[in-house]
Amino acid sequence: MKRRVAVSLAAIIILFAALLPLYYVFSYGKNDALQQAIQGGNRTEGGGGYNAPLSYGNNYLESLVFGVVGILVVFAAFYIILLLIKRRKWKSDE
Amino acid sequence: MHIPDGIMDPVVLIVGFGLAVPALVLAFRRLGQEADEERIPFMAVLAAGIFAAQMLNFPIVFGTTGHLIGAALAVILLGLSASMAILTVVILIQGFFFGDGGLTALGLNLLNMAVIAPLVAWGAQKAFRGRAAEVAIFTASWLSVFLAAGAAATELSASFLLSSGNYGITPLFTFPAMLGYHAVIGLGEGVITVSIWTFISRVAPEITKARAGTTKGAVQ
């Protein structure tokens, strides 16, 4: 099971690294649909007063590094949250 | 489809939190009761994969891009509660770690992508029970994106109307823009979701068979 999870995570990272150049060729710097609608509606994003510690990067290497960090953080966060919820349930069952 | 700070009327932001939080608490609670502990790593892998996929915007029309939401994929592989939980964690990490989507708009982003999109995908799959798996999956994927975008358009319009034009975007513009773009993005979501489903059916058929039952190979 552990090996299968590790292989799956590695496959996601490899696929991400392989597809990232296509993002830079075709999509980088372009608005997504919501941003396009906001721009078309003559609105500008306002600062929420919070500066995130990471970004998605501005070149392939940065995006690859931050993407891998994000992948691992999401994996760990979900895993830990679900385990905590399961343990809490077990305690309440006892 | 991550709503940034400074766009929405405060009342709409509060309503977003008010609707999203109870639904997600229920989803996590149900998942905690029902989830097999052995499947948690697989769920976490899917969450990581959806995060990666959401980083890779693909081009659509008029110089605009879109990205996978992944709600339908998660519903198909793991069920409604797991899908809602996965999207919640992904959106929280995106917001707090990467500044993708405003923190004041977190409730609305959770409502659109972690509540409405999974619910629509789940409902569509139920509605398409008995059809070929690919048809049900594609339709559920497309509808999940289209109606989540419709929800975002409704929120933008409500903000505009509630604030007398100080926030949001006029409904005359936001509905055609959001629904038009996302009708195309939904096609991409459908193709990607069906492709991943087909791939997993071949390399790990036990996963898709575990979800089999109502749509000739898919859907719970």
Side-chain angles (χ1 to χ4, degrees):
Chain A
M1 184 68 173
K2 281 180 184 171
R3 187 175 180 277
R4 201 167 183 188
V5 168
V7 168
S8 301
L9 272 178
I12 287 169
I13 290 169
I14 291 167
L15 198 60
F16 176 72
L19 293 175
L20 195 54
L22 295 177
Y23 163 78
Y24 271 98
V25 171
F26 294 110
S27 302
Y28 179 72
K30 293 178 180 169
N31 284 340
D32 71 14
L34 178 62
Q35 289 169 325
Q36 198 81 335
I38 289 170
Q39 197 172 302
N42 294 319
R43 293 281 174 217
T44 50
E45 298 179 17
Y50 174 75
N51 291 318
L54 302 175
S55 75
Y56 290 142
N58 291 310
N59 58 55
Y60 177 82
L61 200 59
E62 280 182 12
S63 296
L64 182 62
V65 170
F66 289 132
V68 170
V69 169
I71 287 167
L72 297 177
V73 168
V74 168
F75 175 84
F78 189 89
Y79 193 91
I80 291 166
I81 289 168
L82 258 288
L83 278 185
L84 289 175
I85 290 172
K86 291 295 287 184
R87 284 185 186 171
R88 186 165 176 258
K89 179 189 168 261
W90 289 338
K91 277 182 184 171
S92 65
D93 286 347
E94 285 168 1
Chain B
M1 196 161 56
H2 296 68
I3 298 166
D5 289 315
I7 299 295
M8 295 294 192
D9 185 87
V11 173
V12 177
L13 294 172
I14 292 167
V15 170
F17 279 106
L19 292 174
V21 171
L24 294 172
V25 167
L26 280 176
F28 273 98
R29 192 173 169 185
R30 190 172 168 197
L31 189 61
Q33 289 167 344
E34 295 177 353
D36 179 355
E37 195 163 333
E38 286 189 1
R39 287 179 71 80
I40 292 175
F42 174 66
M43 292 180 193
V45 166
L46 187 62
I50 287 173
F51 172 85
Q54 288 200 3
M55 269 186 76
L56 297 170
N57 279 36
F58 51 83
I60 49 168
V61 291
F62 310 127
T64 304
T65 66
H67 63 71
L68 187 91
I69 293 180
L73 179 65
V75 165
I76 291 157
L77 294 174
L78 296 168
L80 178 61
S81 301
S83 178
M84 292 170 73
I86 284 171
L87 267 294
T88 300
V89 171
V90 168
I91 291 164
L92 289 174
I93 298 291
Q94 287 170 334
F96 282 103
F97 283 66
F98 293 90
D100 190 7
L103 294 191
T104 59
L106 200 52
L108 292 174
N109 287 325
L110 288 169
L111 180 66
N112 297 340
M113 289 185 279
V115 178
I116 292 174
L119 274 172
V120 169
W122 178 78
Q125 289 186 331
K126 291 271 186 194
F128 277 78
R129 181 180 298 182
R131 305 267 181 185
E134 290 79 6
V135 173
I137 293 167
F138 185 90
T139 309
S141 304
W142 187 85
L143 278 173
S144 70
V145 172
F146 189 73
L147 292 183
T154 304
E155 293 150 9
L156 285 163
S157 300
S159 290
F160 184 85
L161 297 172
L162 282 171
S163 67
S164 306
N166 290 324
Y167 291 102
I169 304 171
T170 172
L172 297 175
F173 179 77
T174 191
F175 275 101
M178 287 297 287
L179 295 180
Y181 286 130
H182 284 91
V184 182
I185 293 170
L187 298 177
E189 177 105 8
V191 169
I192 293 168
T193 307
V194 170
S195 302
I196 294 173
W197 164 264
T198 305
F199 176 76
I200 292 176
S201 299
R202 287 181 187 159
V203 300
E206 72 279 4
I207 293 170
T208 50
K209 278 179 186 167
R211 302 289 308 158
T214 54
T215 322
K216 292 183 181 171
V219 189
Q220 184 177 346

